[in-house]
Amino acid sequence: MQRRHKIDKDSLEHIETIYLNSSADMELMNDAYDNLKKSVRKQDIKMTDLTGLKFLAKWQVEIQNQYENSEKFKQFPKGYPKLITSE
């Protein structure tokens, strides 16, 4: 992911921490990544064209969309994993 999407080291470490601490968040993020790939393909864009913050922002939107369809959303509306820590 770091090479393909040119993620900075701090962001990559943050994502790895999320993965290690919560299997539910990991599953949510993986599903969101798969949906992002499908969405990007429909737009005739290569996944590798999404890099850095642009990639993280699009992935974050997919994560939020996936989370809104989960049971946890009702109890914790803003409980989704946050990829961009500067916001």
Side-chain angles (χ1 to χ4, degrees):
M1 183 178 300
Q2 185 175 15
R3 284 189 213 164
R4 176 176 290 174
H5 297 293
K6 297 180 174 97
I7 306 293
D8 64 271
K9 186 177 179 179
D10 290 338
S11 295
L12 187 63
E13 287 175 1
H14 178 70
I15 292 167
E16 288 173 349
T17 301
I18 294 170
Y19 267 63
L20 292 173
N21 290 329
S22 173
S23 60
D25 286 346
M26 181 179 70
E27 186 176 328
L28 175 74
M29 291 170 68
N30 286 339
D31 290 345
Y33 187 81
D34 290 341
N35 283 346
L36 178 60
K37 285 194 297 189
K38 291 175 188 174
S39 171
V40 166
R41 285 184 192 138
K42 287 179 185 176
Q43 298 171 19
D44 288 331
I45 301 172
K46 295 179 184 177
M47 266 305 268
T48 53
D49 290 343
L50 294 176
T51 58
L53 285 176
K54 184 178 176 183
F55 164 71
L56 291 176
K58 288 196 176 276
W59 191 15
Q60 184 69 66
V61 168
E62 285 296 327
I63 289 170
Q64 287 173 257
N65 290 340
Q66 288 285 318
Y67 186 77
E68 287 175 4
N69 295 322
S70 73
E71 290 295 318
K72 288 174 40 176
F73 176 72
K74 294 173 185 167
Q75 292 178 323
F76 307 103
K78 297 199 182 239
Y80 53 86
K82 290 152 185 81
L83 302 180
I84 303 172
T85 58
S86 62
E87 291 183 347

